[in-house]
């Protein structure tokens, strides 16, 4: 179902989390649940994967993750500040130790000069650590941008799981 490279990264991440006793949660906007999907495609993932939030709308970010409406109004949903709040909100609203959040503009519409199509923010939160963030501009069409976002998110989770 998923490309081999993504499947291998998912296996490796789940194994590392299992060994460390970490539970995972996801908070996804532009990836629409793809990260949760690739993780739960791995047999035995239920020992690590706790839950996923698909928070595509601003209201869902506010209601499900506790992102402040003022933060979205000030920075926009596709921003470092909102992405960090999404990751931290996922930890606060799940029985997890580690979370990832993704928000971006996958296109083909919705871009602006200051946030063109391909702009993606990824944040990883882990109890007891500072929330990590990476901003990206991924080239390609909608499917390529979403796939690159999933891969980058898995890489960040792997780093945080160590």
């Amino acid at each position: 179902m998923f490309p081999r490279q993504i499947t291998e990264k998912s296996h490796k991440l789940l194994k590392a989390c299992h060994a460390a006793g970490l539970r995972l949660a996801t908070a996804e906007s532009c990836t629409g649940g793809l990260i949760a999907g690739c993780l739960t495609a791995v047999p035995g993932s239920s020992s690590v994967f706790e839950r996923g939030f698909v928070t595509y709308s601003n209201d869902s970010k506010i209601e499900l993750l506790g992102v402040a409406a003022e933060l979205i109004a000030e920075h926009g949903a596709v921003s470092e500040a909102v992405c960090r709040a999404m990751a931290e909100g996922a930890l606060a609203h799940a029985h997890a130790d580690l979370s990832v959040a993704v928000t971006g503009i996958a296109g083909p519409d919705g871009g602006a000069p200051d946030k063109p199509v391909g702009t993606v923010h990824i944040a990883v939160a882990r109890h007891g650590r500072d929330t990590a963030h990476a901003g990206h501009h991924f080239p390609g069409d909608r499917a390529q941008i979403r796939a690159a976002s999933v891969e980058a998110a898995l890489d960040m989770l792997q780093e945080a799981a160590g």
Side-chain angles (χ1 to χ4, degrees):
M1 173 181 244
F2 294 97
R4 193 174 112 209
Q5 183 172 341
I6 296 291
T7 301
E8 289 172 358
K9 286 183 182 211
S10 298
H11 275 277
K12 183 178 176 185
L13 171 62
L14 291 168
K15 185 177 179 181
C17 288
H18 184 75
L22 299 173
R23 303 270 294 157
L24 291 175
T26 60
E28 302 181 64
S29 187
C30 68
T31 51
L34 289 172
I35 299 166
C38 71
L39 292 171
T40 58
V42 176
S45 59
S46 61
S47 69
V48 171
F49 187 77
E50 204 279 325
R51 74 181 71 180
F53 300 91
V54 177
T55 54
Y56 211 70
S57 70
N58 290 345
D59 285 343
S60 65
K61 290 172 181 64
I62 295 163
E63 293 168 12
L64 297 175
L65 301 174
V67 176
E70 300 78 19
L71 197 65
I72 295 171
E74 182 178 345
H75 299 280
V78 178
S79 64
E80 177 180 348
V82 168
C83 194
R84 286 178 182 272
M86 289 171 63
E88 292 164 3
L91 275 189
H93 293 89
H95 303 287
D97 309 289
L98 181 63
S99 71
V100 66
V102 180
T103 183
I105 304 166
D109 302 318
D114 62 328
K115 293 180 185 178
V117 170
T119 301
V120 176
H121 291 273
I122 303 171
V124 171
R126 181 171 172 181
H127 288 299
R129 295 188 184 179
D130 291 337
T131 300
H133 167 267
H136 300 275
H137 184 268
F138 295 120
D141 63 18
R142 184 175 182 82
Q144 291 168 320
I145 292 165
R146 288 166 42 114
S149 299
V150 169
E151 188 165 358
L154 292 173
D155 289 342
M156 285 184 72
L157 280 168
Q158 184 69 47
E159 185 175 326

